Short mmCIF file of all heavy atoms in Angstrom, two decimals:
data_model
loop_
_atom_site.label_atom_id
_atom_site.label_comp_id
_atom_site.label_asym_id
_atom_site.label_seq_id
_atom_site.Cartn_x
_atom_site.Cartn_y
_atom_site.Cartn_z
N THR A 1 21.82 -22.73 -191.96
CA THR A 1 21.27 -22.04 -193.01
C THR A 1 20.99 -22.97 -194.11
O THR A 1 21.90 -23.55 -194.78
CB THR A 1 22.21 -20.93 -193.52
OG1 THR A 1 22.57 -19.98 -192.38
CG2 THR A 1 21.51 -20.02 -194.61
N LYS A 2 19.58 -23.06 -194.39
CA LYS A 2 19.19 -24.04 -195.38
C LYS A 2 18.76 -23.33 -196.81
O LYS A 2 18.34 -22.19 -196.75
CB LYS A 2 18.11 -24.78 -194.85
CG LYS A 2 18.31 -25.68 -193.63
CD LYS A 2 17.20 -26.51 -193.13
CE LYS A 2 17.57 -27.36 -191.97
NZ LYS A 2 16.38 -28.18 -191.42
N LEU A 3 18.85 -24.12 -197.74
CA LEU A 3 18.29 -23.72 -199.01
C LEU A 3 17.12 -24.63 -199.27
O LEU A 3 17.21 -25.92 -199.25
CB LEU A 3 19.38 -23.90 -200.07
CG LEU A 3 18.98 -23.52 -201.57
CD1 LEU A 3 18.56 -22.25 -201.74
CD2 LEU A 3 20.17 -23.85 -202.52
N GLY A 4 16.02 -24.02 -199.63
CA GLY A 4 14.71 -24.84 -199.85
C GLY A 4 13.98 -24.41 -201.02
O GLY A 4 14.33 -23.49 -201.71
N TYR A 5 13.01 -25.23 -201.35
CA TYR A 5 12.07 -24.87 -202.43
C TYR A 5 10.69 -24.97 -201.95
O TYR A 5 10.22 -25.88 -201.20
CB TYR A 5 12.19 -25.91 -203.57
CG TYR A 5 11.21 -25.83 -204.69
CD1 TYR A 5 11.47 -24.87 -205.76
CD2 TYR A 5 10.06 -26.57 -204.72
CE1 TYR A 5 10.56 -24.83 -206.74
CE2 TYR A 5 9.15 -26.41 -205.72
CZ TYR A 5 9.34 -25.56 -206.75
OH TYR A 5 8.48 -25.38 -207.78
N MET A 6 9.85 -23.92 -202.26
CA MET A 6 8.48 -23.87 -201.81
C MET A 6 7.58 -23.77 -203.06
O MET A 6 7.63 -22.91 -203.82
CB MET A 6 8.25 -22.67 -200.79
CG MET A 6 6.89 -22.56 -200.27
SD MET A 6 6.63 -21.10 -199.19
CE MET A 6 7.86 -21.41 -197.89
N ASP A 7 6.61 -24.77 -203.11
CA ASP A 7 5.72 -24.70 -204.18
C ASP A 7 4.63 -23.74 -203.86
O ASP A 7 4.49 -23.11 -202.85
CB ASP A 7 5.19 -26.12 -204.61
CG ASP A 7 4.31 -26.67 -203.49
OD1 ASP A 7 3.79 -26.07 -202.62
OD2 ASP A 7 4.22 -28.02 -203.53
N LEU A 8 3.59 -23.49 -204.81
CA LEU A 8 2.65 -22.46 -204.59
C LEU A 8 1.42 -22.87 -203.62
O LEU A 8 0.66 -22.09 -203.30
CB LEU A 8 2.08 -22.01 -205.91
CG LEU A 8 2.98 -21.53 -207.04
CD1 LEU A 8 2.26 -20.98 -208.15
CD2 LEU A 8 3.81 -20.29 -206.32
N SER A 9 1.62 -24.11 -203.09
CA SER A 9 0.71 -24.47 -201.97
C SER A 9 1.37 -24.24 -200.63
O SER A 9 0.69 -24.41 -199.58
CB SER A 9 0.35 -25.80 -202.13
OG SER A 9 1.49 -26.82 -201.91
N GLY A 10 2.75 -23.83 -200.71
CA GLY A 10 3.44 -23.60 -199.40
C GLY A 10 4.22 -24.83 -198.95
O GLY A 10 4.80 -24.69 -197.82
N LYS A 11 4.21 -25.89 -199.72
CA LYS A 11 5.00 -27.04 -199.36
C LYS A 11 6.56 -26.81 -199.48
O LYS A 11 6.92 -26.32 -200.45
CB LYS A 11 4.63 -28.32 -200.16
CG LYS A 11 5.33 -29.58 -199.77
CD LYS A 11 4.96 -30.73 -200.69
CE LYS A 11 5.85 -31.90 -200.36
NZ LYS A 11 5.57 -33.03 -201.25
N VAL A 12 7.29 -27.15 -198.44
CA VAL A 12 8.71 -26.81 -198.45
C VAL A 12 9.52 -28.15 -198.64
O VAL A 12 9.14 -29.12 -197.99
CB VAL A 12 9.23 -26.19 -197.16
CG1 VAL A 12 10.68 -26.04 -197.17
CG2 VAL A 12 8.45 -24.87 -196.99
N THR A 13 10.43 -28.12 -199.57
CA THR A 13 11.37 -29.21 -199.82
C THR A 13 12.76 -28.64 -199.51
O THR A 13 13.26 -27.70 -200.24
CB THR A 13 11.33 -29.81 -201.21
OG1 THR A 13 9.98 -30.31 -201.48
CG2 THR A 13 12.30 -30.96 -201.36
N ASP A 14 13.49 -29.22 -198.60
CA ASP A 14 14.80 -28.87 -198.26
C ASP A 14 15.84 -29.36 -199.32
O ASP A 14 15.62 -30.52 -199.75
CB ASP A 14 15.32 -29.35 -196.91
CG ASP A 14 14.68 -28.54 -195.74
OD1 ASP A 14 14.22 -27.42 -196.04
OD2 ASP A 14 14.68 -28.93 -194.65
N ILE A 15 16.79 -28.58 -199.81
CA ILE A 15 17.76 -28.94 -200.74
C ILE A 15 19.05 -29.25 -200.08
O ILE A 15 19.73 -30.20 -200.18
CB ILE A 15 17.88 -27.91 -201.87
CG1 ILE A 15 16.49 -27.85 -202.52
CG2 ILE A 15 18.89 -28.37 -202.89
CD1 ILE A 15 16.40 -26.67 -203.45
N VAL A 16 19.58 -28.14 -199.36
CA VAL A 16 20.84 -28.27 -198.62
C VAL A 16 20.69 -27.55 -197.27
O VAL A 16 19.83 -26.81 -197.13
CB VAL A 16 22.08 -27.76 -199.35
CG1 VAL A 16 22.37 -28.61 -200.54
CG2 VAL A 16 21.93 -26.40 -199.63
N ASP A 17 21.52 -27.92 -196.28
CA ASP A 17 21.60 -27.27 -194.98
C ASP A 17 22.86 -26.73 -194.65
O ASP A 17 23.19 -26.60 -193.38
CB ASP A 17 21.04 -28.26 -193.91
CG ASP A 17 21.93 -29.43 -193.62
OD1 ASP A 17 22.95 -29.58 -194.36
OD2 ASP A 17 21.61 -30.24 -192.82
N ASN A 18 23.66 -26.44 -195.62
CA ASN A 18 25.09 -26.00 -195.26
C ASN A 18 25.53 -24.69 -196.08
O ASN A 18 26.55 -24.57 -196.56
CB ASN A 18 26.01 -27.08 -195.58
CG ASN A 18 25.96 -27.60 -196.97
OD1 ASN A 18 25.24 -27.09 -197.80
ND2 ASN A 18 26.73 -28.59 -197.36
N VAL A 19 24.57 -23.68 -196.07
CA VAL A 19 24.83 -22.44 -196.72
C VAL A 19 25.50 -21.58 -195.74
O VAL A 19 25.27 -21.73 -194.52
CB VAL A 19 23.57 -21.84 -197.33
CG1 VAL A 19 23.82 -20.51 -198.04
CG2 VAL A 19 22.84 -22.78 -198.22
N GLY A 20 26.49 -20.83 -196.17
CA GLY A 20 27.02 -19.79 -195.34
C GLY A 20 28.55 -19.60 -195.55
O GLY A 20 29.06 -19.76 -196.70
N GLY A 21 29.33 -19.33 -194.53
CA GLY A 21 30.81 -19.24 -194.57
C GLY A 21 31.32 -18.01 -195.10
O GLY A 21 32.62 -17.83 -195.41
N THR A 22 30.47 -16.73 -195.12
CA THR A 22 30.97 -15.52 -195.70
C THR A 22 31.21 -14.47 -194.60
O THR A 22 31.46 -13.35 -194.98
CB THR A 22 30.00 -14.93 -196.78
OG1 THR A 22 28.74 -14.77 -196.26
CG2 THR A 22 29.89 -16.07 -197.91
N THR A 23 31.10 -14.91 -193.34
CA THR A 23 31.47 -14.00 -192.24
C THR A 23 32.76 -14.66 -191.56
O THR A 23 32.64 -15.70 -190.95
CB THR A 23 30.37 -13.82 -191.25
OG1 THR A 23 29.96 -15.09 -190.66
CG2 THR A 23 29.11 -13.18 -191.77
N LEU A 24 33.85 -13.99 -191.62
CA LEU A 24 35.11 -14.58 -191.24
C LEU A 24 35.33 -14.45 -189.66
O LEU A 24 35.93 -15.28 -189.02
CB LEU A 24 36.29 -14.01 -191.87
CG LEU A 24 36.36 -14.28 -193.42
CD1 LEU A 24 37.77 -13.92 -193.92
CD2 LEU A 24 36.11 -15.81 -193.76
N GLY A 25 34.88 -13.32 -189.08
CA GLY A 25 35.16 -13.10 -187.69
C GLY A 25 34.57 -14.04 -186.79
O GLY A 25 35.15 -14.77 -185.98
N ARG A 26 33.17 -14.04 -186.65
CA ARG A 26 32.56 -14.91 -185.81
C ARG A 26 31.48 -15.79 -186.62
O ARG A 26 31.11 -15.40 -187.71
CB ARG A 26 31.75 -14.02 -184.74
CG ARG A 26 32.82 -13.38 -183.79
CD ARG A 26 32.08 -12.62 -182.67
NE ARG A 26 31.56 -11.31 -183.11
CZ ARG A 26 30.82 -10.61 -182.39
NH1 ARG A 26 30.26 -11.02 -181.26
NH2 ARG A 26 30.43 -9.46 -182.87
N PRO A 27 31.02 -16.75 -185.94
CA PRO A 27 30.27 -17.85 -186.75
C PRO A 27 28.75 -17.47 -186.97
O PRO A 27 27.90 -18.34 -186.63
CB PRO A 27 30.38 -19.16 -186.00
CG PRO A 27 30.50 -18.68 -184.64
CD PRO A 27 31.24 -17.37 -184.60
N TYR A 28 28.55 -16.36 -187.63
CA TYR A 28 27.12 -15.87 -187.83
C TYR A 28 26.60 -16.63 -189.10
O TYR A 28 27.37 -17.06 -189.92
CB TYR A 28 27.02 -14.47 -188.04
CG TYR A 28 27.20 -13.66 -186.78
CD1 TYR A 28 28.25 -12.83 -186.57
CD2 TYR A 28 26.06 -13.75 -185.78
CE1 TYR A 28 28.33 -12.11 -185.35
CE2 TYR A 28 26.18 -12.99 -184.60
CZ TYR A 28 27.36 -12.18 -184.42
OH TYR A 28 27.40 -11.47 -183.26
N ALA A 29 25.22 -16.75 -189.19
CA ALA A 29 24.55 -17.17 -190.42
C ALA A 29 24.97 -16.22 -191.52
O ALA A 29 24.95 -15.02 -191.28
CB ALA A 29 23.12 -17.34 -190.15
N SER A 30 25.07 -16.75 -192.75
CA SER A 30 25.44 -15.94 -193.80
C SER A 30 25.17 -16.72 -195.16
O SER A 30 24.58 -17.80 -195.14
CB SER A 30 26.86 -15.41 -193.82
OG SER A 30 27.80 -16.49 -193.89
N GLY A 31 25.68 -16.20 -196.32
CA GLY A 31 25.58 -16.98 -197.52
C GLY A 31 24.66 -16.46 -198.47
O GLY A 31 23.79 -15.56 -198.33
N SER A 32 24.77 -16.94 -199.82
CA SER A 32 23.90 -16.59 -200.73
C SER A 32 23.78 -17.62 -201.88
O SER A 32 24.67 -18.63 -201.95
CB SER A 32 24.36 -15.32 -201.52
OG SER A 32 25.66 -15.45 -202.02
#
């Protein structure tokens, strides 16, 4: 789960790739 930035031309810049950890039971994607 990544956090990115998209400018108004649609270009994407990745910031981090380690968002998540809010589902304790099984390793699903999550986070905010």
Side-chain angles (χ1 to χ4, degrees):
T1 302
K2 297 182 176 181
L3 177 60
Y5 173 84
M6 185 180 297
D7 66 22
L8 297 186
S9 70
K11 179 183 176 182
V12 174
T13 302
D14 285 342
I15 300 171
V16 295
D17 63 1
N18 56 2
V19 182
T22 60
T23 60
L24 295 190
R26 291 183 283 167
Y28 286 112
S30 63
S32 57

